[in-house]
Amino acid sequence: MDSNTDAQRMEKIVSLCKRRGFIFQSSEIYGGLNGVWDYGPLGVELKRNLKNYWWRVMVHERDDVVGMDGSILTQPAVLRASGHMEGFADPMVDCLLTGKRFRADQLEPQQGWVLNFIGAVDFDSFNSLVKEQNFPERSAIWSRVDLAPLLRQIFTNSSWHVDEKRRIGYCHLHDQFVERKEALRALIAERIFSASSLQPFSAMDIVGDRNSVTLSDARQVNPAIIVAQEFYRKRGIRNPVVMLTNLQWTEHSTRYNPENGSLLTRPREFNLMFKTRTGPVEEFDQSAMAVSAVGATGPAAPIAPVTASAAESFAQTAGTSVIAEDTSPAATTEDASVAYLRPETAQSIFVQFKNILEVSRKKLPFGIAQIGKAFRNEINPRNFTFRSREFEQMELEYFCRPQRGMELLEYWKEERLKFYENIGISRDNLHVRNVLDEERAFYSKGTYDIEYDFPFGRQELEGVAYRTNYDLKQHQDQSKKSLEYFDEESKERIIPHVVEPSAGVDRTVLALICEAYAEDEAPDEKGNMETRTLLRFHPRMAPIKCAVFPLLKNKEPLVAKAKEIVNLLRPHMFVFYDEAGAIGRRYRRQDEIGTPFCVTVDFETLGEKNPALRETVTLRDRDSMQQERVAIRELVNILTSRLH
Ligand code: ATP
């Protein structure tokens, strides 16, 4: 990921999206559902404009592409053939302290001092032993001949730090870790501690300095020790003294939580598909509905997130009435009611290939396009809508003869880049990444990722992949139905190859908003310069195309004329009528939501001052703030020519 990020800009964008009704957190009044979003009145317009333009360019303006709209609920057999059942998994790791889940391959490598612990014992027992060691004859424990050598093993050549007030501490065992652990084990077996744990743990001091490490000084205790204390506290030792062994300087490690330094679990494969059931399902195990994202029989999150915030808890649980896929072997013996929410739109295109070929009578090369919802139980939904659990895709499967695969991959990459420029995304902010052999799906002969410079870094907007004929072949093999194409040129039956441009609606909407967000200076009512926030959407994408204002709301002829103009424009574009507040404020409100044009009806329109200006209005441009005088009868032509 690009390190060039701008968190402040992103915060402003997220806040604007909520304030002006583009995007809301789903189920917000109930605390939200992580990774799921609702689009408000303006967001839905922006999204529709994007989808309609994609459809126009990819389907309506071409002779060689037809559309389809497939179902979301998908037969398991489809996803078994496509490889999603076996292979659609991400490696995940959990924080041993908070239970927060991360995608192992997305962790930034860390460096710092790693502190290793062999366990912990309770403060009161430990502190009494410390105090009594100087008077062993008076101590019921130190005076025992069987225990004293074990105690000496722990306390000799060790250093400790106890906080009497908070009843917490650490004991640093400097050497002989194996022997000392055995001694501790024996003491624990003799029940000399009222609480104890021998679970090993380690934590990284992530802000550590390579040349020195401080365990504690007058002001503070090393953060890795605090993390360890918290770890053992959550395992039942209310007031832990943690048993520290060695410390190691460690680099390029992804074993520790970058947020708190706690050790993470080893990576486990986590299937991203949502599983559900169709029809009456009496035998459905209700207890499975409440399980964590790991699935009914998968390993539970290592510990309950006792202090995790509501948001963190949401990040850890994904199952509602749909259950995250279970990758255990038993899961392969599914009954007939099992279905999946599709993880991509592409598979329904492949499965309907034969039907569509027959009804459309297309010849190779030709494509099938689809826009629709897809669902992935992402381990770590993040960056606003960028990585969601429910999202929309715009996919084209473009079928061709094998000889043309690589050439069409280049063709579609260029077409898609043009598309983004045509919706107002600057070429400078778009990047093509040639996905390396080892990163590509094994069946793909070439893949490009089209990336965008989001404020949170450079990230994928769309993948353009040459998938060979893998999918159709798989479905033909598994369904035992022919998916062949009779090539009249060569008189051969072939299974066509396919090039797939696959874009995300939500990611593109987010890119449009990020690209459009701007701040500049504009005069307020009194002529003083103030900061203006605006969305410089391409007019094609802008949710509202034109706002119409009467200069004053209490002057009936102005209001009537403005409403007449609204009716004139409405069949051609989405317009918005506003009569509330000072005219400057009304302009500012439209700037902030990206309306490219504003029309104002004033006294000149009525011909009160200059008859030559009768039936004219001011047309204001959002970006330049320039105003021009145009005849009402010209308005439709002028605006439609600027919008398309
Ligand atoms: P990533 O590597 O970011 O997870 P991907 O390579 O798995 O994405 P594809 O399977 O190629 O994504 O899906 C095609 C497109 O669908 C992506 O380029 C993206 O625009 C969109 N998409 C995929 N996953 C998500 C998601 N979780 N949230 C929003 N959009 C997504």
Side-chain angles (χ1 to χ4, degrees):
M1 197 171 82
D2 195 337
S3 58
N4 186 13
T5 58
D6 189 343
Q8 207 186 11
R9 182 177 166 84
M10 196 58 212
E11 265 170 39
K12 287 182 182 173
I13 289 170
V14 172
S15 141
L16 173 71
C17 280
K18 174 160 189 206
R19 191 172 69 247
R20 299 310 312 268
F22 283 91
I23 299 168
F24 306 119
Q25 194 185 10
S26 178
S27 316
E28 190 186 284
I29 59 168
Y30 291 103
L33 182 59
N34 197 31
V36 188
W37 302 92
D38 292 339
Y39 288 78
L42 293 175
V44 68
E45 296 298 331
L46 180 59
K47 209 175 180 197
R48 263 170 199 264
N49 291 342
L50 170 67
K51 291 193 281 184
N52 289 345
Y53 186 65
W54 188 91
W55 199 260
R56 177 177 135 192
V57 173
M58 303 293 273
V59 184
H60 289 178
E61 291 181 359
R62 302 186 64 105
D63 290 326
D64 55 355
V65 176
V66 294
M68 75 164 281
D69 186 20
S71 69
I72 285 168
L73 291 175
T74 307
Q75 251 256 26
V78 172
L79 298 161
R80 198 166 297 125
S82 67
H84 283 89
M85 217 74 115
E86 286 293 311
F88 193 57
D90 281 337
M92 62 160 196
V93 288
D94 294 318
C95 172
L96 283 170
L97 183 66
T98 61
K100 186 167 172 181
R101 188 154 287 168
F102 296 91
R103 240 173 85 172
D105 55 345
Q106 287 177 349
L107 284 170
E108 293 284 341
Q110 307 291 315
Q111 61 174 30
W113 285 97
V114 169
L115 278 60
N116 295 305
F117 302 87
I118 53 168
V121 297
D122 83 287
F123 176 86
D124 289 339
S125 316
F126 182 86
N127 207 26
S128 321
L129 289 172
V130 169
K131 288 181 175 156
E132 290 167 14
Q133 67 169 327
N134 296 329
F135 314 98
E137 63 291 352
R138 280 190 242 151
S139 161
I141 300 172
W142 279 98
S143 60
R144 276 177 59 181
V145 286
D146 57 335
L147 298 183
L150 299 172
L151 288 169
R152 275 198 296 279
Q153 271 222 299
I154 300 296
F155 285 93
T156 313
N157 197 24
S158 297
S159 47
W160 51 86
H161 174 275
V162 286
D163 179 340
E164 301 246 4
K165 212 156 125 213
R166 295 177 52 232
R167 297 169 62 228
I168 200 160
Y170 67 82
C171 173
H172 184 194
L173 312 170
H174 292 267
D175 53 14
Q176 298 183 356
F177 306 130
V178 178
E179 295 80 355
R180 285 160 175 247
K181 187 168 182 179
E182 282 318 305
L184 190 61
R185 190 188 302 282
L187 289 167
I188 289 171
E190 290 293 329
R191 300 180 184 279
I192 68 159
F193 301 106
S194 57
S196 61
S197 164
L198 277 177
Q199 188 174 349
F201 179 68
S202 58
M204 183 184 262
D205 174 5
I206 40 184
V207 289
D209 168 3
R210 186 195 181 112
N211 299 315
S212 68
V213 57
T214 310
L215 294 184
S216 59
D217 58 25
R219 283 175 300 123
Q220 59 184 10
V221 172
N222 189 298
I225 294 179
I226 297 173
V227 164
Q229 289 167 336
E230 196 57 30
F231 171 83
Y232 289 107
R233 182 178 288 130
K234 287 190 170 179
R235 276 154 187 81
I237 307 178
R238 245 225 237 132
N239 297 97
V241 173
V242 295
M243 307 306 267
L244 170 65
T245 55
N246 56 331
L247 297 87
Q248 296 152 292
W249 175 257
T250 307
E251 292 184 358
H252 307 297
S253 172
T254 50
R255 295 285 294 122
Y256 298 89
N257 181 344
E259 293 164 8
N260 62 14
S262 165
L263 184 67
L264 299 164
T265 58
R266 292 270 170 208
R268 289 190 296 252
E269 289 295 304
F270 172 61
N271 193 296
L272 300 178
M273 284 199 294
F274 283 100
K275 185 180 187 178
T276 188
R277 306 253 174 171
T278 56
V281 282
E282 288 100 68
E283 78 280 48
F284 188 25
D285 175 11
Q286 293 296 327
S287 66
M289 295 176 74
V291 298
S292 79
V294 185
T297 59
I303 45 159
V306 181
T307 57
S309 66
E312 282 171 332
S313 317
F314 266 115
Q316 294 158 36
T317 53
T320 51
S321 64
V322 279
I323 319 165
E325 167 60 341
D326 173 5
T327 49
S328 64
T332 52
T333 52
E334 283 156 334
D335 63 60
S337 68
V338 168
Y340 289 86
L341 306 190
R342 63 180 175 191
E344 60 178 27
T345 61
Q347 293 309 320
S348 53
I349 298 182
F350 296 127
V351 170
Q352 292 297 353
F353 171 76
K354 200 72 179 192
N355 278 335
I356 294 176
L357 179 66
E358 274 164 19
V359 296
S360 65
R361 299 182 13 256
K362 292 283 176 206
K363 301 274 172 274
L364 288 181
F366 78 96
I368 305 175
Q370 178 169 206
I371 299 179
K373 290 261 185 178
F375 301 81
R376 296 182 187 177
N377 199 3
E378 295 282 358
I379 293 167
N380 237 355
R382 63 188 171 147
N383 289 331
F384 200 23
T385 56
F386 178 82
R387 188 171 298 289
S388 311
R389 290 189 168 134
E390 173 174 345
F391 57 96
E392 256 180 300
Q393 290 186 312
M394 306 183 279
E395 293 194 302
L396 169 70
E397 302 303 325
Y398 195 76
F399 299 98
C400 63
R401 295 186 178 84
Q403 303 82 325
R404 294 201 58 200
M406 290 309 278
E407 163 205 340
L408 285 164
L409 174 68
E410 296 301 316
Y411 167 81
W412 279 110
K413 176 198 62 174
E414 292 303 321
E415 285 297 297
R416 298 303 304 146
L417 285 169
K418 267 189 250 162
F419 174 87
Y420 288 111
E421 288 185 75
N422 286 339
I423 58 173
I425 295 188
S426 144
R427 186 66 182 80
D428 291 344
N429 294 332
L430 291 169
H431 306 273
V432 177
R433 191 170 76 88
N434 194 346
V435 179
L436 302 172
D437 289 357
E438 56 269 28
E439 276 182 78
R440 274 199 316 261
F442 70 91
Y443 48 78
S444 169
K445 283 207 174 152
T447 301
Y448 291 115
D449 278 352
I450 299 179
E451 300 180 326
Y452 175 72
D453 288 326
F454 287 97
F456 44 82
R458 186 172 295 172
Q459 297 276 350
E460 174 182 332
L461 260 190
E462 164 159 359
V464 185
Y466 171 27
R467 299 173 67 118
T468 65
N469 62 356
Y470 173 79
D471 303 271
L472 285 182
K473 236 162 104 200
Q474 283 292 106
H475 288 302
Q476 173 166 293
D477 289 351
Q478 297 295 314
S479 67
K480 312 275 182 265
K481 305 274 173 8
S482 163
L483 297 180
E484 284 173 339
Y485 170 90
F486 180 66
D487 187 356
E488 274 157 21
E489 267 175 35
S490 65
K491 306 285 178 224
E492 272 176 359
R493 291 192 175 280
I494 59 164
I495 299 183
H497 281 221
V498 74
V499 174
E500 174 198 78
S502 169
V505 175
D506 310 76
R507 284 189 189 178
T508 311
V509 164
L510 187 57
L512 285 169
I513 296 173
C514 293
E515 181 82 9
Y517 184 88
E519 289 171 10
D520 66 6
E521 297 271 298
D524 67 8
E525 257 87 272
K526 299 190 185 89
N528 301 321
M529 294 308 268
E530 61 173 9
T531 303
R532 171 176 83 133
T533 301
L534 72 161
L535 290 173
R536 294 185 196 272
F537 287 130
H538 189 293
R540 206 173 253 151
M541 292 294 115
I544 295 169
K545 309 296 183 191
C546 181
V548 181
F549 312 142
L551 184 63
L552 298 171
K553 74 169 174 195
N554 50 7
K555 287 280 177 283
E556 177 48 31
L558 293 178
V559 169
K561 197 60 168 177
K563 290 191 171 162
E564 199 183 302
I565 293 173
V566 167
N567 290 332
L568 175 78
L569 297 179
R570 225 162 227 172
H572 306 275
M573 67 198 72
F574 187 35
V575 291
F576 179 76
Y577 173 79
D578 187 9
E579 56 180 26
I583 197 79
R585 296 262 303 283
R586 279 183 264 169
Y587 283 144
R588 220 53 99 237
R589 283 204 291 266
Q590 294 306 314
D591 292 343
E592 207 186 24
I593 59 172
T595 307
F597 305 106
C598 291
V599 163
T600 302
V601 174
D602 54 18
F603 293 104
E604 304 281 22
T605 313
L606 307 177
E608 285 187 3
K609 290 186 188 156
N610 178 355
L613 294 178
R614 176 188 283 279
E615 288 295 301
T616 65
V617 287
T618 58
L619 176 61
R620 175 190 179 266
D621 180 89
R622 174 197 65 207
D623 297 341
S624 65
M625 293 187 275
Q626 295 292 317
Q627 302 194 7
E628 57 189 310
R629 198 89 211 163
V630 303
I632 294 173
R633 69 186 140 74
E634 294 290 334
L635 258 184
V636 169
N637 276 345
I638 294 176
L639 288 174
T640 48
S641 71
R642 293 182 194 177
L643 288 173
H644 294 289

